[in-house]
Amino acid sequence: MTPDLDLWPIGNCQVSTLVDRAGRFVWGCVPRVDGDPVFSALLGGEAPEAGYWAVDLEGCVETTQEYLRNTPILVTRHTDDAGNAVEVVDFCPRFSRLGRMYRPTAFVRIVRPVAGSPRVTMRLRPTCGWGGGCNRRIGGSNHIRFATEGMTLRLTTTAPVGMLIEERTFRVEQPLHFFLGPDESFTGDLASSIEDMLVQTTRDWQEWVRGLAVPLEWQEVVIRSAITLKLCQHEETGAIVAALTTSVPEHAGSQRNWDYRYCWIRDAYYTVQALNRLGALDVLEGYLVYLRNIVDEARGGHIQPLYGVLGEATLVERFAPDLPGYRGMGPVRVGNQAYEQIQHDAYGQIVLCNTHAFFDQRLFRPPTVEDFHALEAVGERAWAHHDQPDAGLWELRTRQSVHTYSSAMCWAACDRLANIAERIGSRDRQAFWNERAEHIRATIETRAWRPDTNRLSATFSGDDLDASLIQLLDLRFLAPDDPRFEGTLAAVETGLRRGSTMLRYDTEDDFGLPETAFNVCTFWLIEALQATGRSEDARALFEEMLAKCTASGLLSEDIDPVSGELWGNYPQTYSLVGMINCAVLLSKPWSSIR
């Protein structure tokens, strides 16, 4: 089966896996999202022989899938040509137990006969060491061990172990339970324990969703995006990864294959901003803990664009030669060289994330004056570098410029520090940061404005179009009725829009001309259309984008403007953020139906 991105994520904020339309686990890492992929078939070429976990129904003619309502628990139903059927329930346990969140490095499957006398073949073929074979041994009558680089996994099951080892076909006459997790003895009755885990995990997710402030329209879109964004948070530390995968190319044969299983300061800012709009403060609170540790480690110095989920600063990029790549399109990269880059927008995003906390009285840990002083050190970096070249938010690897977006984020750092200072009653610091913000604003307005073309340039040195210029609206740097924004929006839409999609830019970069559109840029355009009075255009374009989602209701990073095929890492937080923000912005108010 040729891999594609029509995948269903399950997870528990510690580990996750992607399930394909045949019900196979095809991507999943242990002991956490940035670890060794035991399920690697997604990057195993055209017809991978390992790296998956399949429940194959003999004579299967139909497979249907759906999530349990308001959860990341997947139910796959296989039916054969005689009407025999099995139902497979897949989830990663997550619930409160003994005052703590139970979220083990574990994957659970329940196989239930639901019609006739179904016969199945179980194929559990994990990989170890980035595509290599695993050391497998039978540990008894009810479990099998697999030694990976990061941990030893144990499959404990009520199914006949010998039939699993030999991959023999057998009849399913009663529910079968599978727990693939740490190499520990399973206490208690396996079947009843797993059924209880299912009940508690269902309840935990549904209670979390119940607390979301969703819009009237597009609720399913918002809820599914919010659940998936939460799956992208490594709850132990609060880090938020940009996507659950690595090395899905931005387009065919591009070699634009990057590892997104790390925490970008920028991507995480957009994620918490979107979830804040829904009232999901637990994600914000967890991320702020992570950020405070990052700021502490920086000690007033350089802050990287990205870090590991445990806060690791060094993310050396290397190749995984044993994996041929998505549809054979390598290379497969582990690590990301962008950690070495200079990207000045991070200073603004750190301050912006923290600003909300100073004004929201619901948080368990209110920010302190000491927190403000720590943020001032970040503001000093923004002030010092607001007019200095960097790699920009698109992470160009071979050249640098003074990017308008980065400079605007530095302005936002100073502007919001002034707001926080006012909030805590520090008038002198308010004046101090206001003065710096006004200076940066004047610099941008002078050096980025191009009167000849009636638009802002994406760089201070050229006259470049870039979709990130639309973000000057969201930052409140420009108002929607400002003639400069209107001119910039018109130029960006004319130059970068391709049907119902938007390019990031239309100039050559390190790898030539980009061939796919960047999904979040389309959502930025939708927000701008709504803000400038083109509401019908905004709604129409939003519906067109939703039609491009996978069966699970999600999007990857990129899309082919002609074929509509999804490319890039999946699921991508930027794209999910765009769906939430646009749904909240465009929806009719609840008062319209009261």
Side-chain angles (χ1 to χ4, degrees):
M1 179 181 292
T2 301
D4 61 31
L5 295 181
D6 200 355
L7 304 169
W8 302 71
I10 65 172
N12 62 2
C13 305
Q14 171 67 30
V15 290
S16 58
T17 189
L18 301 179
V19 187
D20 71 7
R21 294 308 300 274
R24 304 183 309 165
F25 289 11
V26 296
W27 181 259
C29 302
V30 296
R32 54 182 186 265
V33 65
D34 61 349
D36 181 17
V38 289
F39 306 119
S40 60
L42 182 65
L43 302 182
E46 288 282 356
E49 296 182 357
Y52 61 84
W53 187 359
V55 181
D56 293 330
L57 176 66
E58 187 177 63
C60 184
V61 295
E62 182 184 35
T63 297
T64 60
Q65 292 171 297
E66 64 179 353
Y67 283 118
L68 287 184
R69 180 174 177 268
N70 294 349
T71 76
I73 300 170
L74 181 63
V75 180
T76 302
R77 183 183 176 113
H78 303 288
T79 306
D80 69 15
D81 50 9
N84 303 303
V86 292
E87 181 180 88
V88 184
V89 180
D90 295 324
F91 69 101
C92 297
R94 183 185 186 278
F95 50 86
S96 180
R97 186 175 74 174
L98 302 176
R100 295 177 294 178
M101 188 59 69
Y102 176 68
R103 48 173 187 271
T105 298
F107 310 92
V108 175
R109 310 196 82 166
I110 305 171
V111 181
R112 296 180 175 133
V114 292
S117 303
R119 288 168 53 80
V120 303
T121 307
M122 178 76 68
R123 295 181 173 88
L124 175 53
R125 300 179 179 180
T127 52
C128 295
W130 285 90
C134 288
N135 180 16
R136 181 184 70 181
R137 61 190 176 95
I138 301 173
S141 58
N142 301 112
H143 65 264
I144 310 167
R145 289 190 178 97
F146 302 92
T148 76
E149 283 191 343
M151 65 182 295
T152 297
L153 289 172
R154 176 190 295 215
L155 175 69
T156 306
T157 179
T158 59
V161 169
M163 304 294 265
L164 305 185
I165 292 290
E166 299 294 331
E167 295 186 355
R168 298 182 65 85
T169 303
F170 60 94
R171 182 185 288 201
V172 181
E173 296 184 335
Q174 60 185 1
L176 302 176
H177 297 80
F178 304 83
F179 186 94
L180 181 63
D183 186 21
E184 302 167 356
S185 297
F186 204 97
T187 58
D189 179 76
L190 179 66
S192 60
S193 296
I194 284 179
E195 294 290 348
D196 184 60
M197 288 179 185
L198 175 60
V199 170
Q200 293 194 67
T201 300
T202 301
R203 182 185 301 118
D204 184 88
W205 282 105
Q206 290 180 343
E207 287 182 351
W208 185 78
V209 169
R210 188 172 179 268
L212 299 178
V214 298
L216 175 61
E217 298 181 90
W218 302 295
Q219 289 186 37
E220 289 186 7
V221 171
V222 170
I223 289 170
R224 183 54 49 200
S225 295
I227 288 173
T228 310
L229 286 178
K230 186 166 176 62
L231 291 181
C232 290
Q233 182 167 50
H234 186 67
E235 204 166 45
E236 179 185 344
T237 62
I240 301 169
V241 298
L244 299 178
T245 59
T246 178
S247 302
V248 181
E250 293 181 14
H251 59 82
S254 66
Q255 297 197 26
R256 300 170 186 260
N257 304 8
W258 315 116
D259 191 348
Y260 277 14
R261 302 168 306 140
Y262 306 109
C263 184
W264 269 259
I265 301 297
R266 175 173 51 253
D267 301 49
Y269 153 67
Y270 282 110
T271 297
V272 297
Q273 179 194 50
L275 291 176
N276 286 350
R277 288 175 171 148
L278 305 180
L281 294 182
D282 59 321
V283 176
L284 170 66
E285 289 179 306
Y287 180 59
L288 290 181
V289 172
Y290 179 81
L291 266 189
R292 285 193 288 269
N293 282 307
I294 295 296
V295 171
D296 286 350
E297 287 293 325
R299 292 177 172 81
H302 168 63
I303 291 178
Q304 298 174 188
L306 69 154
Y307 294 86
V309 296
L310 300 184
E312 306 97 320
T314 303
L315 304 170
V316 176
E317 187 175 298
R318 62 182 176 87
F319 295 148
D322 290 338
L323 286 174
Y326 181 74
R327 300 180 186 171
M329 301 175 193
V332 172
R333 288 183 169 93
V334 184
N336 199 302
Q337 187 185 348
Y339 82 91
E340 298 177 332
Q341 289 189 357
I342 304 297
Q343 297 178 29
H344 299 316
D345 58 311
Y347 303 120
Q349 288 135 9
I350 289 173
V351 175
L352 285 165
C353 282
N354 279 273
T355 300
H356 182 104
F358 280 88
F359 289 83
D360 195 328
Q361 298 186 27
R362 295 171 295 172
L363 272 64
F364 287 131
R365 180 197 179 276
T368 64
V369 172
E370 288 73 21
D371 292 333
F372 172 67
H373 293 325
L375 288 178
E376 285 196 296
V378 177
E380 290 292 347
R381 297 288 298 183
W383 167 251
H385 295 89
H386 72 272
D387 58 355
Q388 299 301 304
D390 70 354
L393 81 162
W394 307 129
E395 302 187 339
L396 301 177
R397 292 196 166 198
T398 59
R399 62 179 184 269
Q400 293 193 343
S401 301
V402 180
H403 289 92
T404 302
Y405 175 87
S406 297
S407 189
M409 275 293 179
C410 290
W411 165 82
C414 299
D415 180 75
R416 299 330 190 252
L417 282 169
N419 292 348
I420 297 171
E422 181 182 23
R423 174 73 170 173
I424 64 176
S426 180
R427 301 300 180 188
D428 59 331
R429 303 311 293 169
Q430 178 187 359
F432 177 85
W433 289 111
N434 268 331
E435 181 180 355
R436 288 191 164 181
E438 287 305 311
H439 178 91
I440 298 175
R441 170 183 283 278
T443 300
I444 296 171
E445 291 177 340
T446 301
R447 297 183 62 183
W449 178 248
R450 302 293 177 265
D452 292 344
T453 52
N454 190 39
R455 68 191 193 200
L456 287 159
S457 169
T459 63
F460 283 9
S461 57
D463 190 3
D464 310 302
L465 279 180
D466 187 319
S468 67
L469 292 168
I470 302 175
Q471 283 293 282
L472 297 178
L473 178 65
D474 185 69
L475 286 176
R476 303 199 311 274
F477 185 87
L478 293 177
D481 59 353
D482 188 315
R484 294 170 299 179
F485 182 75
E486 292 174 338
T488 301
L489 175 60
V492 168
E493 184 177 7
T494 300
L496 300 180
R497 184 169 178 174
R498 301 291 185 271
S500 58
T501 64
M502 281 280 289
L503 305 179
R504 287 175 286 182
Y505 45 82
D506 191 24
T507 53
E508 288 196 1
D509 57 20
D510 310 325
F511 294 83
L513 279 172
E515 296 183 23
T516 48
F518 204 74
N519 287 321
V520 74
C521 296
T522 308
F523 293 117
W524 290 348
L525 175 63
I526 292 168
E527 294 179 44
L529 294 178
Q530 174 72 7
T532 53
R534 295 167 58 186
S535 298
E536 290 185 9
D537 292 344
R539 289 180 69 94
L541 185 53
F542 186 48
E543 291 288 1
E544 288 186 64
M545 283 300 295
L546 295 182
K548 304 177 192 300
C549 289
T550 61
S552 60
L554 305 173
L555 287 169
S556 64
E557 179 184 61
D558 308 280
I559 191 166
D560 187 309
V562 178
S563 69
E565 183 176 10
L566 295 177
W567 291 89
N569 284 311
Y570 175 93
Q572 220 264 357
T573 53
Y574 267 155
S575 303
L576 307 182
V577 163
M579 289 197 283
I580 290 174
N581 288 345
C582 289
V584 171
L585 181 67
L586 301 178
S587 174
K588 298 174 185 175
W590 281 98
S591 60
S592 67
I593 52 98
R594 289 177 184 149

